[in-house]
Amino acid sequence: MNIKFKDGSQGQYSDGATPFEILKAKEPEATKRAVAARVNGQSVDLWRPLHADAELEFLTFDDSEGRDVYRHSSAHLMAQAVRELYPGVQLGIGPALEDSFYYDILVPEFLTPEDLEKIETRMGEIAKRKVPIQRRELSREEAITLFQERGEVLKVELLQEMEEGVSVYQQGDFVDLCRGPHLPNTGYIKNFKLLSLAGAYWRGDESRPMLQRIYGTSYPTAEQLEEHLRRHEEAKQRDHRRLGKNLDLFSFHPEAPGTPFWHPKGVILVDQAVKYWREMHTAHGYQEIRTPVVLSDVLWRQSGHYDHYRENMYFSRVEDRDYAIKPMNCPSGLLVYKTYQFSYRDLPQRFAELGLVHRFEKSGELHGLIRVRAFTQDDAHIFCTPEQIETEIVNLIGLVQEIYRTFGFTEVRVELSTQPENSIGSAEIWRRAEAALESALKKAELPHELNPGEGAFYGPKIDFHIRDSLGRSWQCGTIQLDFSMPERFELEYIGADGERHRPVMIHRAILGSLERFIGLLIEHYAGDFPLWLAPVQARILPITDKQHEYAIGVRDRMRKAGLRVEADLRSEKMGYKIRQAELEKVPVMLVVGGREAEADQVSMRLKGQGDQGAKPVNEVITLMQNAVERKQQQL
RNA sequence: GCUGGCGUAGCUCAGUCGGUAGAGCUGCUGAUUUGUAAUCAGCCGGUCGGGGGUUCGAGUCCCUUCGCCAGCUCCA
């Protein structure tokens, strides 16, 4: 048979040759790196015999597909070790992740970290034996019998939902239901580490039993494994909860779980972000409103929140009347709109609101600033005619991107979420709304993923996601198109024809939650904020107390110039004061000794960059003002 | 909410087998007057998350409750 290779070459091989044999004949050295093959675009085992002409490619750990094979086989190796060590276990599923793998296992006894060590040791033994990993293709019936005999009820359940023609992989006594491909033998898995242990519902369903999920990672070389663990350690250092405490930005207290207490430095961060946000919104034709936090339950019944969002809401009852604490700002926006009589000439109307909303979250879902129970949405509701939808949304996408860029976020994932099960509005309305969002995304040339069934209950949405330090992705911005609320609240505008028409409503947030956004911002910059955001922009460090008066003078001049400046007047050595300022991540340190005081100068030291030499005070002020003005990432 | 883990001084953490709670940093006082990442000395600081129990005796063992962490589920 004739085999074509990716490099353009081709060769003749006898029928039944495996990719491994072909590679060995062609390029013996490369067999060490190959983990799987791709035949006519489909990934297969290196030991799968070929029987027809084909295009052949080899996958290594450097390909994401090859990495998945490596991790997937690692998961099998781990499962094999667990089965050998703990009788009576049942396997769930065990896929590869981006840079790790896991296996969900039903274990009669709870595993402990010590168990992980035992499992690791056993994995090492099995790997050393280089146990061949073999594929077998079975009928569904045969597979069900096989797993039933082995007491693998979970696998049988999976099989019952699968199509005819399945494959299993066997290594020694261990058999697993799996599509593959896999490594040729367990000896390929050389460097691995089991990372953590957690519960996970079987098939992600709260009502099903909880399995134990074991996470691990594996690499071909020890250096790569070390590097992975080091990166993980580093990521922990930039965790916003840790930095928030160290940098004195905010605190949490059991008296109000899930709601941050902002400290003075944290407030500066929030204020700077809001100041910029206001400038941008004014420039883009928004007007700001401010509405109540506690509103009558009658309103929430009318809006549909009572029926569709009640589990997440807080309620209050006074003087025999029921109130709800707002989980969203939209109903208030609608009430404001209704106080006006708008003509088509007045639209679009863009009402922005920094609204404090409360949403009840189950205790286990809270996470620092990123997942809280009370947060400030940088909300806005745009009321427009149906014809204006596309332009509005395309412009909005541009605004979102510009604002993210200013904060240094360049890696943003975009999703289009469509009608959920629990929703209001007719099928026709949903179809129109979804089509409108799709065409706006197309026009804006924004690559995006589809997230079916994840829209808001009143309309589909475009979501913007940002990753945290540990690689978890969080929704920030959102653009939601809503034909239903205007209907429910009977909004109107007067058209060119003199008749009453119904406007369309766009709900949108860019930062999403101020709290979440600041949390992600802290992690993004690892606390090293650009000058315009830094809570303390400069600290003046006099060498002896002879310069105190001069230092205070410089500090006050800089403050009058609009800069956030402190002076460290403690009787400490320079090295100590610098160390403190560096640890507190103050971007600019200004050392003043006798020489500087004499010449109206300061010695400028930049955080992480060291001494920049003496400069006139006015020059430093101008330099810093410019960096703030331009929102420079670096001074 | 669920599964598992963790709560000791303001912070980071020790505390063995159940036998009188410890260190460093911070803070305070004093000395020191310092030139680019830790000057020295002394002092203060604790209902061991809360409540209950076992015990002659509990930071340590048991129950319960609150909070936090990882993951699951759910969401900005």
Side-chain angles (χ1 to χ4, degrees), chain A residues 291-309 313 315 321-338 353 381 424 457-458 484-485 488-491 505:
Chain A
T291 69
V293 168
V294 180
L295 299 104
S296 161
D297 79 318
V298 176
L299 180 75
W300 300 107
R301 286 174 200 275
Q302 189 182 357
S303 67
H305 285 85
Y306 194 84
D307 287 335
H308 298 270
Y309 208 74
M313 291 170 68
F315 295 95
R321 283 190 60 187
D322 290 310
Y323 294 88
I325 301 171
K326 69 176 172 185
M328 296 188 196
N329 303 300
C330 34
S332 311
L334 292 155
L335 295 183
V336 172
Y337 179 95
K338 277 174 78 82
E353 170 168 24
H381 296 97
I424 58 173
F457 73 82
Y458 44 77
S484 292
M485 292 290 169
R488 289 192 168 222
F489 284 81
E490 299 179 322
L491 300 196
M505 184 177 187

Side-chain angles (χ1 to χ4, degrees), chain A residues 297-570:
Chain A
D297 79 318
V298 176
L299 180 75
W300 300 107
R301 286 174 200 275
Q302 189 182 357
S303 67
H305 285 85
Y306 194 84
D307 287 335
H308 298 270
Y309 208 74
R310 195 176 9 180
E311 309 80 70
N312 292 298
M313 291 170 68
Y314 290 93
F315 295 95
S316 164
R317 187 177 170 83
V318 278
E319 278 188 340
D320 291 332
R321 283 190 60 187
D322 290 310
Y323 294 88
I325 301 171
K326 69 176 172 185
M328 296 188 196
N329 303 300
C330 34
S332 311
L334 292 155
L335 295 183
V336 172
Y337 179 95
K338 277 174 78 82
T339 64
Y340 299 92
Q341 187 176 42
F342 288 120
S343 100
Y344 69 98
R345 298 172 196 274
D346 301 318
L347 301 187
Q349 283 290 328
R350 306 185 187 94
F351 290 120
E353 170 168 24
L354 292 165
L356 177 63
V357 299
H358 287 71
R359 296 183 185 176
F360 172 73
E361 303 285 352
K362 297 179 198 165
S363 55
E365 292 162 349
L366 302 175
H367 180 85
L369 292 178
I370 290 180
R371 189 79 185 268
V372 292
R373 285 187 176 146
F375 57 98
T376 311
Q377 284 186 309
D378 66 317
D379 214 344
H381 296 97
I382 300 172
F383 301 92
C384 63
T385 69
E387 296 72 41
Q388 291 167 333
I389 293 174
E390 192 175 281
T391 316
E392 276 304 306
I393 290 179
V394 171
N395 288 343
L396 243 169
I397 290 171
L399 180 62
V400 172
Q401 288 175 318
E402 183 179 351
I403 290 179
Y404 285 175
R405 210 173 317 123
T406 303
F407 285 104
F409 288 111
T410 46
E411 270 183 63
V412 179
R413 211 182 79 239
V414 182
E415 275 181 13
L416 174 62
S417 299
T418 56
Q419 182 172 15
E421 270 178 40
N422 179 11
S423 60
I424 58 173
S426 70
E428 164 61 15
I429 277 183
W430 276 90
R431 199 194 53 74
R432 272 170 59 206
E434 289 172 7
L437 288 185
E438 217 154 341
S439 86
L441 278 169
K442 204 168 168 192
K443 196 148 192 181
E445 293 175 13
L446 195 58
H448 63 276
E449 298 158 34
L450 205 62
N451 199 9
E454 295 298 322
F457 73 82
Y458 44 77
K461 54 182 189 165
I462 297 171
D463 289 330
F464 298 82
H465 294 256
I466 295 175
R467 277 170 181 265
D468 75 6
S469 67
L470 295 172
R472 295 171 293 208
S473 171
W474 299 90
Q475 186 186 319
C476 290
T478 183
I479 300 174
Q480 311 174 345
L481 190 52
D482 179 4
F483 292 94
S484 292
M485 292 290 169
E487 201 72 41
R488 289 192 168 222
F489 284 81
E490 299 179 322
L491 300 196
E492 291 172 338
Y493 67 91
I494 308 299
D497 55 5
E499 299 292 317
R500 295 168 187 276
H501 296 273
R502 189 124 294 163
V504 178
M505 184 177 187
I506 301 168
H507 308 240
R508 49 113 282 187
I510 294 178
L511 311 179
S513 143
L514 247 45
E515 288 74 4
R516 171 176 292 181
F517 195 80
I518 300 282
L520 293 171
L521 203 57
I522 292 168
E523 301 196 347
H524 179 65
Y525 287 121
D528 290 317
F529 299 108
L531 204 65
W532 71 283
L533 287 168
V536 178
Q537 294 169 320
R539 182 174 292 168
I540 298 166
L541 312 176
I543 290 171
T544 75
D545 52 16
K546 291 194 185 67
Q547 291 89 42
H548 279 191
E549 204 181 325
Y550 177 67
I552 290 168
V554 173
R555 181 195 69 189
D556 293 346
R557 270 163 76 190
M558 294 182 77
R559 283 182 175 171
K560 280 197 186 109
L563 296 166
R564 299 185 288 273
V565 183
E566 292 177 347
D568 184 348
L569 303 180
R570 293 174 305 172

Side-chain angles (χ1 to χ4, degrees), chain A residues 94-144:
Chain A
L97 300 174
E98 212 168 294
D99 55 4
S100 58
F101 61 86
Y102 69 81
Y103 216 118
D104 283 349
I105 304 174
L106 191 59
V107 189
E109 292 286 315
F110 297 114
L111 296 175
T112 63
E114 293 78 68
D115 289 315
L116 291 189
E117 283 175 34
K118 270 165 66 185
I119 297 167
E120 265 181 24
T121 308
R122 180 59 69 96
M123 284 170 72
E125 289 163 14
I126 301 169
K128 214 175 257 171
R129 291 207 306 268
K130 300 188 179 172
V131 183
I133 304 174
Q134 284 157 323
R135 178 188 175 91
R136 257 195 300 158
E137 284 173 20
L138 306 178
S139 74
R140 208 172 61 119
E141 237 8 82
E142 287 170 321
I144 289 177

